[in-house]
Amino acid sequence: MSYNDKQEALEKDVLSIALGDIEKLKDSRLTPDLFEIPIHRDIVFQCKKEISKGITDLANICLNAMYSFQESARNYFAELIGDLPFISDYDSFLAQLEDRRAIRTIEELCETAKTDSLTIDELKTKIASLNGSMKETPFKKWSFDELHEKPRTGDEAIDFKRDFYMQYVRPKKHTVNVIGARTGVGKTTYALNLANDLAERYRVLYFNLEMDQLEVNRRLLALESGIDVESIEKDCLTDIENTHYTDACWRYSETLNIAIIDGSKSIDSIRKIIASESREEHCIVFVDHIGYINNKGFTNTRESVQHTMIELNNISKDFDCTIFAISQLNRGAEGEMPQLKDLKDSGEVEQTAHSITLLYDKSNDRALPIAEYQIICAKNRGKTGIFGVRFNRRNQRFIYPKEQRTTNEQR
């Protein structure tokens, strides 16, 4: 199938699905500029025009839009409505159209550069920021009721059940929150503790960019069962442990709403998955970790991490999600209490994050089965402070004594 034939088929599939589903027709990602074929662009434009008038009935939207065309186009419109592909493929089809639109835009930029209207640096910058420039930012004016209530109630905080430290930090929805630690201290394990807590109430997406998915699941099952993670790995469980393990498998599969996502190592692929998964409910997103995200067009790691943080912040605002970004600390000053300056490539990380949590192994002895840790709130839009906790390496749990904390009020 040629490029043009593929484009036409994709456009027809997306339109056919959208014309049979009011929510997809309202989808902000569905815009006329996705389509190359003029009649398809016009159909989307006319349908969006009817929606902007406040019409909510799908049949009336399609009927009104259809009668803005001449007879031959009306017949084609009707054929699209009657040809319904697999609805589950909608996000995949739409993503392919978005990719093709990006290719067209890049080709146009390259043609402009050939005329010396763009420098090579300007061309690189425009291509690197392509996602940002394509985001739809519709004007939204708050009503009187919204103005009267929202500024006084504040941003809604994420609801934690077991994690006392995060109840104290109270990360807000639609923010990026950073978890940092040196290599081997346990930043992934701490993130999994949070994910395990939150997955009882939220849809959790865990972007696993570093570890094998089997290891991630093994750690989560150790958390759920309380069983030594090495015993699970070696399959040497006692009868009682096997019962606990079976119960944990059931809870993990039936009550925890968590998806472990491997292989998405570009900010574009992460964005697309979040856009799809956050459409029906608020999602908690973990990115483990930001240093592994590939950003083409940047000459060094620092610039790449800066771009990643900016894009993650945009994603948290554009979609119904809250993000926890895991970050590596510099190897210098091993064994000393970490500080904000120890965040690797820290400039944009520190500036963008709503809160920054740093892990510190006071014992500095990874052979200890139970270690004394400090969890440091190094940045927060409110309180900062330190929690004393214990980390059980065997079952991967962080244990929080509520009374052991110091705080510093920041106004």
Side-chain angles (χ1 to χ4, degrees), residues 42-97:
D42 292 343
I43 288 172
V44 174
F45 175 81
Q46 291 298 335
C47 287
K48 294 283 187 179
K49 185 177 179 181
E50 295 302 316
I51 291 172
S52 70
K53 295 177 182 177
I55 300 174
T56 58
D57 181 73
L58 180 62
N60 285 335
I61 291 171
C62 291
L63 190 63
N64 291 348
M66 186 182 299
Y67 276 94
S68 66
F69 294 99
Q70 295 181 351
E71 185 174 355
S72 60
R74 289 180 202 167
N75 294 335
Y76 182 73
F77 198 138
E79 290 175 8
L80 287 174
I81 295 175
D83 182 19
L84 187 62
F86 290 110
I87 295 178
S88 60
D89 292 331
Y90 172 78
D91 288 305
S92 173
F93 293 154
L94 194 66
Q96 291 178 64
L97 285 183

Side-chain angles (χ1 to χ4, degrees), residues 292-347:
Y292 282 101
I293 294 178
N294 295 327
N295 290 304
K296 295 181 179 179
F298 293 93
T299 58
N300 59 59
T301 304
R302 185 180 185 85
E303 290 180 356
S304 180
V305 169
Q306 288 176 346
H307 178 72
T308 293
M309 286 300 296
I310 291 170
E311 287 303 303
L312 289 178
N313 190 47
N314 290 337
I315 290 169
S316 73
K317 303 298 185 289
D318 292 341
F319 305 107
D320 192 10
C321 69
T322 301
I323 298 175
F324 289 88
I326 290 79
S327 178
Q328 183 76 30
L329 296 187
N330 292 316
R331 292 183 178 273
E334 287 283 352
E336 296 181 7
M337 180 180 288
Q339 304 175 54
L340 283 176
K341 67 179 183 180
D342 297 324
L343 277 169
K344 196 169 186 179
D345 305 303
S346 62

Side-chain angles (χ1 to χ4, degrees), residues 8-23:
E8 181 179 1
L10 279 170
E11 291 186 11
K12 283 184 175 180
D13 286 340
V14 168
L15 269 180
S16 295
I17 295 170
L19 293 171
D21 185 331
I22 184 64
E23 294 304 320

Side-chain angles (χ1 to χ4, degrees), residues 4-260:
N4 290 338
D5 290 341
K6 177 69 171 177
Q7 179 73 19
E8 181 179 1
L10 279 170
E11 291 186 11
K12 283 184 175 180
D13 286 340
V14 168
L15 269 180
S16 295
I17 295 170
L19 293 171
D21 185 331
I22 184 64
E23 294 304 320
K24 290 181 173 57
L25 197 57
K26 291 180 178 178
D27 189 349
S28 62
R29 296 173 297 165
L30 186 72
T31 55
D33 65 344
L34 280 178
F35 300 86
E36 289 188 17
I37 299 172
I39 181 63
H40 295 165
R41 286 200 301 268
D42 292 343
I43 288 172
V44 174
F45 175 81
Q46 291 298 335
C47 287
K48 294 283 187 179
K49 185 177 179 181
E50 295 302 316
I51 291 172
S52 70
K53 295 177 182 177
I55 300 174
T56 58
D57 181 73
L58 180 62
N60 285 335
I61 291 171
C62 291
L63 190 63
N64 291 348
M66 186 182 299
Y67 276 94
S68 66
F69 294 99
Q70 295 181 351
E71 185 174 355
S72 60
R74 289 180 202 167
N75 294 335
Y76 182 73
F77 198 138
E79 290 175 8
L80 287 174
I81 295 175
D83 182 19
L84 187 62
F86 290 110
I87 295 178
S88 60
D89 292 331
Y90 172 78
D91 288 305
S92 173
F93 293 154
L94 194 66
Q96 291 178 64
L97 285 183
E98 288 173 333
D99 288 343
R100 286 166 173 256
R101 176 181 61 185
I103 291 171
R104 293 197 300 273
T105 303
I106 291 170
E107 289 174 344
E108 291 168 5
L109 288 171
C110 290
E111 289 299 318
T112 303
K114 289 178 181 178
T115 66
D116 295 327
S117 298
L118 281 177
T119 67
I120 189 65
D121 288 337
E122 288 173 334
L123 176 63
K124 288 179 180 179
T125 299
K126 287 182 177 293
I127 291 175
S129 61
L130 197 55
N131 270 340
S133 66
M134 286 186 167
K135 287 184 306 199
E136 183 176 318
T137 53
F139 176 73
K140 169 69 168 68
K141 185 175 181 179
W142 281 4
S143 67
F144 171 82
D145 289 339
E146 289 173 320
L147 288 169
H148 195 259
E149 296 297 329
K150 286 189 176 184
R152 302 194 297 179
T153 57
D155 297 328
E156 187 179 354
I158 297 299
D159 180 22
F160 289 86
K161 180 180 179 181
R162 291 185 295 272
D163 193 291
F164 298 116
Y165 173 80
M166 280 297 176
Q167 289 179 19
Y168 157 69
V169 176
R170 292 181 63 78
K172 299 295 193 296
K173 287 187 175 181
H174 303 287
T175 59
V176 178
N177 303 273
V178 171
I179 300 166
R182 295 189 175 92
T183 301
V185 171
K187 55 187 179 295
T188 292
T189 303
Y190 180 64
L192 289 174
N193 272 253
L194 298 185
N196 189 62
D197 182 340
L198 293 168
E200 293 183 6
R201 285 167 301 289
Y202 301 99
R203 173 71 166 157
V204 172
L205 308 177
Y206 197 99
F207 289 91
N208 172 42
L209 310 183
E210 183 178 16
M211 299 173 61
D212 178 79
Q213 184 172 139
L214 179 62
E215 179 62 24
V216 174
N217 286 327
R218 188 178 288 136
R219 292 190 186 195
L220 282 168
L221 288 169
L223 274 168
E224 276 292 296
S225 66
I227 298 170
D228 189 329
V229 68
E230 289 188 8
S231 297
I232 295 174
E233 182 178 4
K234 295 176 181 177
D235 193 20
C236 55
L237 306 181
T238 66
D239 289 343
I240 293 177
E241 287 176 335
N242 192 60
T243 299
H244 291 322
Y245 180 75
T246 301
D247 290 343
C249 289
W250 184 88
R251 290 195 302 272
Y252 180 53
S253 61
E254 299 299 324
T255 67
L256 295 183
N257 192 6
I258 183 169
I260 310 299

